[in-house]
Amino acid sequence: MQNRHIDHLIARHLDGERLSDAEQAELLDWLRSSEEHRRNYLDAYDAWGEEHLTDTCFDAEAAYRRFTERVATPAKLPAPLPLRQNRPLRRRIVGIACAAACSILLVTGFFLRGRAEQQIPDIREFARATEAPAYTEKEVQLVLSEQKTVRLEEKRTSIRYDASEIHINEDAREPITKKEVAAFNQLLVPYGKQTTLTLADGTRVWVNAGSRLIYPSAFDSHSREIYAEGEIYIEVAHDAARPFTLHTGKMDIRVLGTRFYVSSYGRDRAQEVVLRSGSVSVAPTGAPERGIRIEPDQRASLDTAGTFRIRKVRAEDYISWIHGYYRFDNTPLSDVLARLARYYNRTFDCSPEVGVMTISGKLELNDDPGEVLRVLSLTAPIRFRASETGFSLCSAQNARKEHDNNPNRMPMENHDPS
């Protein structure tokens, strides 16, 4: 009876009929359970496409009738057809088509509503299968399923998951029941925004501008895994029975309960993790044998060659943005401006001599980026000019020269560091 039920699902799938989420999950689990099942699926696809691949015309109704007859009365199946000269080529074509159909099922399966015990085991596979965001949207997007995305306009938002509901900006919106969500959810935070996320196990994540977080709507009973791109700070709830793993595009970070910072912007040359408290093990993706363990106030940065470099740092400097300011210690101004660009969603162009300047100290992140630059000009000998899209910076000395040579030019912000 089970085999006939699966055959019926296969027939409907090959006929182009849309299966329910539960039926897709059932067929996907059946395909994954054994190599024999995958061969049976290939044979079914083979029988289904026999006339389609050998003739220019395909009678779908007749093919469906023959296939269902085969399912209903397996004892009366006709003798195998003699091999044709083009059989190997046809089999290869069928195999490719079967693989494509299975891939569609795999991708669809990521969005299935399901119990925690039935989640897709590899969250990295889901991250690769989904399109990376461009971060050009103005709103924070909480992607709960293929059919449901919640958009949040506030500059700072908070999201909290519990056992049965999702709460957004507590008391400001009606809770969302978890019956409406898929196995994996995505949080997309555009430039100029920040979001705080509390997962169902009590883990808290601060997600900075230009970042993506992928996580299950509920963790299973054996492990906890999430995926991050961009800049986050995370306080992991301790659970010795369920180790916590954070994946990035290049690193796997494993902990039981701790607090740490991660920077994994795709365009950056290196990815890094800074430990605030507890203990973490970090390894290049797919190479656990090359993993290292770091201690509080250490930074592990992974370069493009896949090598970790350990450095003693002050962890508080890396997470100060969750409190509304940046703290820098002899930091190149080009790095400072790159962080400000993500935070304010504005461009900050600078001349080469400005980019290599270094600054130290605390920089308040108020609502006006122009005010932030005025504060910067008290630390570094720079001047800046505002435009509709952003700011241009040059050294104070060059600004004076340009002004002297062209008095009709629009002046830079007037600050004389001397």
Side-chain angles (χ1 to χ4, degrees):
M1 291 298 295
Q2 174 66 16
N3 289 341
R4 286 191 178 185
H5 174 64
I6 292 295
D7 286 342
H8 183 61
L9 292 182
I10 294 174
R12 291 171 55 202
H13 172 62
L14 296 179
D15 193 41
E17 181 179 339
R18 182 177 178 85
L19 303 182
S20 69
D21 288 349
E23 290 169 334
Q24 289 177 20
E26 184 178 5
L27 184 54
L28 183 63
D29 290 342
W30 181 82
L31 281 169
R32 283 176 161 167
S33 62
S34 73
E35 181 63 30
E36 180 183 2
H37 289 174
R38 289 187 285 275
R39 286 197 302 268
N40 289 343
Y41 184 94
L42 179 63
D43 290 341
Y45 202 105
D46 189 351
W48 184 265
E50 187 73 41
E51 291 185 13
H52 179 56
L53 293 174
T54 56
D55 301 329
T56 56
C57 297
F58 178 58
D59 187 341
E61 293 185 2
Y64 180 80
R65 187 169 55 254
R66 284 192 298 275
F67 188 80
T68 52
E69 289 172 356
R70 178 189 180 196
V71 171
T73 56
K76 297 181 181 180
L77 286 176
L81 294 174
L83 292 175
R84 300 187 183 93
Q85 290 183 351
N86 66 339
R87 181 76 171 180
L89 175 61
R90 192 188 63 73
R91 288 288 296 180
R92 285 198 297 271
I93 296 174
V94 169
I96 293 171
C98 179
C102 291
S103 297
I104 293 172
L105 276 172
L106 287 171
V107 173
T108 304
F110 286 130
F111 290 96
L112 296 178
R113 304 183 191 95
R115 296 184 298 274
E117 299 295 331
Q118 297 176 329
Q119 290 174 10
I120 304 303
D122 193 350
I123 197 170
R124 293 167 297 185
E125 191 175 341
F126 173 81
R128 288 192 294 267
T130 55
E131 184 177 355
Y135 302 113
T136 56
E137 298 284 345
K138 294 183 179 180
E139 302 93 356
V140 171
Q141 297 179 67
L142 178 59
V143 183
L144 299 175
S145 69
E146 284 186 304
Q147 295 78 29
K148 187 174 183 62
T149 296
V150 180
R151 294 179 178 271
L152 308 170
E153 297 180 354
E154 297 84 353
K155 181 177 177 62
R156 290 181 176 84
T157 58
S158 64
I159 302 169
R160 180 175 62 85
Y161 282 63
D162 61 24
S164 59
E165 295 180 326
I166 303 170
H167 304 264
I168 300 175
N169 294 335
E170 300 278 3
D171 302 326
R173 292 170 176 254
E174 288 294 324
I176 299 172
T177 175
K178 283 191 175 180
K179 293 179 180 179
E180 304 178 49
V181 307
F184 286 117
N185 294 175
Q186 290 192 77
L187 179 62
L188 310 178
V189 182
Y191 298 129
K193 301 292 179 69
Q194 286 185 3
T195 301
T196 304
L197 172 69
T198 302
L199 300 173
D201 69 332
T203 294
R204 296 190 69 193
V205 190
W206 286 258
V207 187
N208 210 355
S211 302
R212 171 167 76 148
L213 197 68
I214 300 174
Y215 51 93
S217 56
F219 292 116
D220 62 31
S221 59
H222 307 293
S223 64
R224 298 172 291 169
E225 293 187 69
I226 68 173
Y227 179 93
E229 295 173 358
E231 187 175 25
I232 71 167
Y233 168 66
I234 182 169
E235 295 183 348
V236 178
H238 182 80
D239 187 343
R242 296 188 299 174
F244 194 100
T245 303
L246 187 151
H247 303 285
T248 73
K250 299 179 181 179
M251 299 186 299
D252 296 326
I253 305 164
R254 292 180 171 84
V255 302
L256 290 177
T258 187
R259 299 181 293 175
F260 60 96
Y261 160 90
V262 172
S263 176
S264 60
Y265 287 104
R267 60 180 175 276
D268 287 353
R269 294 181 57 84
Q271 297 192 3
E272 62 185 14
V273 55
V274 177
L275 183 60
R276 187 182 184 191
S277 67
S279 177
V280 303
S281 172
V282 56
T285 297
E289 71 281 358
R290 293 165 56 195
I292 60 171
R293 186 173 294 275
I294 62 174
E295 299 176 353
D297 287 322
Q298 283 188 336
R299 183 187 73 178
S301 59
L302 183 66
D303 60 24
T304 54
T307 302
F308 281 109
R309 299 183 183 275
I310 308 299
R311 176 186 168 191
K312 185 71 174 177
V313 297
R314 187 167 62 178
E316 295 295 329
D317 294 349
Y318 289 81
I319 66 168
S320 59
W321 53 270
I322 72 173
H323 304 300
Y325 66 91
Y326 283 139
R327 186 183 293 278
F328 301 107
D329 182 16
N330 203 31
T331 305
L333 200 52
S334 58
D335 292 348
V336 174
L337 296 178
R339 299 190 74 179
L340 292 178
R342 288 192 290 263
Y343 186 85
Y344 288 107
N345 194 22
R346 303 287 294 276
T347 60
F348 290 80
D349 298 322
C350 68
S351 57
E353 63 270 18
V354 169
V356 297
M357 295 179 183
T358 59
I359 67 168
S360 299
K362 178 180 176 180
L363 185 62
E364 296 286 348
L365 297 170
N366 57 48
D367 292 336
D368 181 8
E371 180 61 28
V372 173
L373 290 180
R374 278 188 282 274
V375 172
L376 272 179
S377 69
L378 299 174
T379 303
I382 62 171
R383 290 190 178 182
F384 65 93
R385 180 184 296 111
S387 67
E388 291 184 0
T389 58
F391 300 88
S392 298
L393 292 83
C394 70
S395 68
Q397 183 178 2
N398 287 346
R400 280 196 296 269
K401 289 180 180 179
E402 290 182 2
H403 183 270
D404 293 341
N405 294 334
N406 185 2
N408 294 323
R409 184 181 179 89
M410 181 182 296
M412 306 293 280
E413 290 289 332
N414 60 346
H415 168 69
D416 188 345
S418 63

